[in-house]
Amino acid sequence: MNCASMADQVADDPRVISDEEQEEEEKRIQHYSSFYEILLVGEGDFSFSLCLALAFGSASNIVASSLQSYDEVIKMYKNGKSNLEKLKSLGGTVLHGVDATKMQLHLDLANRKFDRVIFNFPHAGFHGSESSNRLIHLHRNLVVKFFGSARKRLRPDGEVHVTHKTTHPFCCWDLAGLASVHSLTCIESANFNIKNYPGYNNKRGGGNKCDESFPLGECCTFKFIFDPSHKNMQRTKQNKRKSSRSSPIYSFQRQLSWTDSSRNSPTYVNDMNGFPCHAGLPERHDPRSECFRIFKEYFSYIQETFGRKDIDVEVEVCQALHRGSLMYSSEDYLEILEKLHFWSWSRISRLQQKLQDLDRRLYELQGMRYYLSIMSVQ
């Protein structure tokens, strides 16, 4: 058999794959690639997931999820059922009942990592005017918890994408600040145009008008990456090792004297007037305190801009307080509080044991004195 006939035979063999076919072609749509492992949360009628899948020609790299069940989705959205069927036919993975703030608890997501985690137009529900502080607080609480959960689903070079309105009052959510709570840094905010995503229909997702679209206005896709250098816990530990305890509030209070090397049994020292000293009371403006570190930059900004007509001081102060409270409610700080609670409980137990030992010795001494008094009379 000559070379030409052998080549023809190889070409006709369906089992033979050419070099061009072996190299999968990358397909892109805006910020997303067919080479990315993509997780979408908070999907409505799944039209955005389907838009990406159609652009890639496959949904094998897509995991699309919603908080609602399958029955709820097809009941709420007229195109929900057909979108889901098309998505699955393209090889996509569809998950229902996924809480965007607790993704790690879902069995299908607990051990998976993604290149992109996407949450389009997060919303905590319709509970009054969007400008109300209460609703803004609910929205921010949802987003900050999502960031904490999404960070754990990222690959080392992965990104979290949140598409969000940028006009008032939505700009008050402060996405960058919320993301920083979980060591996520905003690297870009790209203008969002729904026309760049053919077939995507944004939905209200709640109430009687859940299947209707809402006006978008000015929007951006905010991109976040995990930045370990911003990890608050590491700075807290380093500051604790480098600095001593915070100064007391009052001038007549003095520092604790630690007599036990394990620091489990502090000795409280009284001042010259007999007033007991206490631990854990920070100085009013102690630059070494963690509270001062968190709030300093925000209140410095308020102080510098006080009196300007374009600054709402009350709103800015509320946002600063809320951001600080979110930082203190993060998992790292909760872990510290649990350790402090355990340390306090163990110290109380030790003190109780010492008091019992003192009572027993006192009782023994009293008994010995009574015995000696009787012997002296005799």
Side-chain angles (χ1 to χ4, degrees):
M1 182 182 297
N2 57 33
C3 294
S5 59
M6 289 180 62
D8 294 338
Q9 184 177 353
V10 169
D12 294 336
D13 191 341
R15 295 173 299 177
V16 178
I17 302 175
S18 64
D19 294 338
E20 291 78 7
E21 292 175 328
Q22 285 181 342
E23 295 182 2
E24 182 183 355
E25 180 184 358
E26 180 185 16
K27 297 181 180 179
R28 301 188 64 92
I29 176 171
Q30 294 301 304
H31 320 293
Y32 309 110
S33 164
S34 58
F35 288 173
Y36 297 158
E37 289 294 319
I38 300 175
L39 169 64
L40 300 103
V41 300
E43 284 288 84
D45 66 351
F46 288 82
S47 58
F48 190 82
S49 302
L50 182 59
C51 168
L52 299 186
L54 292 174
F56 300 152
S58 170
S60 59
N61 63 320
I62 295 176
V63 176
S65 67
S66 70
L67 180 61
Q68 292 79 21
S69 66
Y70 171 79
D71 292 336
E72 289 173 328
V73 170
I74 62 176
K75 181 179 180 181
M76 293 170 62
Y77 307 106
K78 62 181 180 181
N79 294 328
K81 184 177 181 179
S82 60
N83 288 345
L84 288 172
E85 290 176 350
K86 293 176 184 177
L87 194 59
K88 292 178 181 178
S89 67
L90 290 169
T93 300
V94 176
L95 303 175
H96 296 285
V98 177
D99 187 338
T101 67
K102 302 175 182 177
M103 289 180 279
Q104 66 276 11
L105 301 181
H106 198 283
L107 295 179
D108 293 299
L109 298 176
N111 298 316
R112 293 195 62 176
K113 301 287 185 179
F114 298 89
D115 299 296
R116 299 291 184 270
V117 179
I118 305 171
F119 197 169
N120 290 327
F121 303 104
H123 201 274
F126 299 94
H127 306 283
S129 171
E130 292 288 354
S131 300
S132 69
N133 290 333
R134 176 176 175 271
L135 189 53
I136 291 175
H137 173 78
L138 292 176
H139 292 324
R140 286 166 56 87
N141 190 51
L142 165 67
V143 174
V144 75
K145 290 182 178 178
F146 159 72
F147 280 134
S149 183
R151 188 194 74 177
K152 299 173 183 177
R153 306 272 64 79
L154 281 184
R155 288 179 173 174
D157 57 346
E159 297 177 7
V160 177
H161 288 192
V162 178
T163 300
H164 182 57
K165 296 183 179 183
T166 55
T167 54
H168 185 81
F170 303 98
C171 57
C172 296
W173 294 20
D174 185 19
L175 295 187
L178 299 178
S180 67
V181 174
H182 297 286
S183 304
L184 292 170
T185 300
C186 185
I187 58 172
E188 183 186 2
S189 56
N191 290 331
F192 176 84
N193 188 341
I194 195 171
K195 294 180 180 179
N196 293 329
Y197 299 93
Y200 171 47
N201 296 297
N202 60 300
K203 301 296 183 180
R204 290 183 177 272
N208 297 327
K209 300 180 180 180
C210 60
D211 198 26
E212 295 184 9
S213 297
F214 55 86
L216 293 178
E218 297 179 7
C219 305
C220 279
T221 297
F222 295 85
K223 304 177 183 180
F224 302 89
I225 61 170
F226 177 59
D227 186 357
S229 64
H230 289 171
K231 203 163 188 179
N232 299 314
M233 190 61 187
Q234 295 299 325
R235 286 204 300 264
T236 302
K237 292 179 179 178
Q238 291 173 2
N239 291 338
K240 286 185 176 181
R241 286 194 294 265
K242 293 179 181 178
S243 63
S244 58
R245 285 179 167 267
S246 300
S247 303
I249 291 180
Y250 304 104
S251 59
F252 55 77
Q253 291 181 335
R254 297 188 307 190
Q255 290 284 14
L256 290 175
S257 172
W258 298 88
T259 58
D260 189 348
S261 60
S262 63
R263 297 192 175 187
N264 285 328
S265 58
T267 300
Y268 286 91
V269 181
N270 293 341
D271 71 345
M272 58 184 299
N273 297 319
F275 196 94
C277 302
H278 300 282
L281 296 176
E283 191 177 20
R284 295 195 185 281
H285 295 290
D286 184 3
R288 297 172 297 178
S289 70
E290 183 70 6
C291 184
F292 181 84
R293 183 188 67 77
I294 290 176
F295 289 116
K296 177 183 177 182
E297 59 178 297
Y298 307 116
F299 282 94
S300 296
Y301 171 75
I302 297 301
Q303 188 175 9
E304 293 170 1
T305 58
F306 187 83
R308 282 173 49 187
K309 294 183 179 180
D310 60 333
I311 297 295
D312 190 331
V313 176
E314 181 180 357
V315 172
E316 294 292 338
V317 171
C318 288
Q319 289 183 358
L321 289 171
H322 182 65
R323 180 180 297 184
S325 67
L326 291 173
M327 295 183 72
Y328 271 106
S329 64
S330 65
E331 294 179 2
D332 293 333
Y333 286 103
L334 290 176
E335 183 180 352
I336 293 176
L337 290 177
E338 290 177 357
K339 291 181 179 178
L340 288 175
H341 178 266
F342 175 78
W343 179 81
S344 176
W345 174 83
S346 61
R347 191 176 71 171
I348 291 174
S349 298
R350 291 192 58 176
L351 290 174
Q352 288 177 341
Q353 183 62 43
K354 288 184 177 181
L355 288 174
Q356 291 175 359
D357 293 340
L358 289 173
D359 289 342
R360 185 176 64 257
R361 291 179 60 186
L362 181 60
Y363 178 78
E364 292 173 352
L365 288 173
Q366 289 175 345
M368 181 62 68
R369 288 174 182 173
Y370 178 74
Y371 174 76
L372 291 176
S373 65
I374 295 178
M375 292 298 294
S376 60
V377 171
Q378 293 178 350

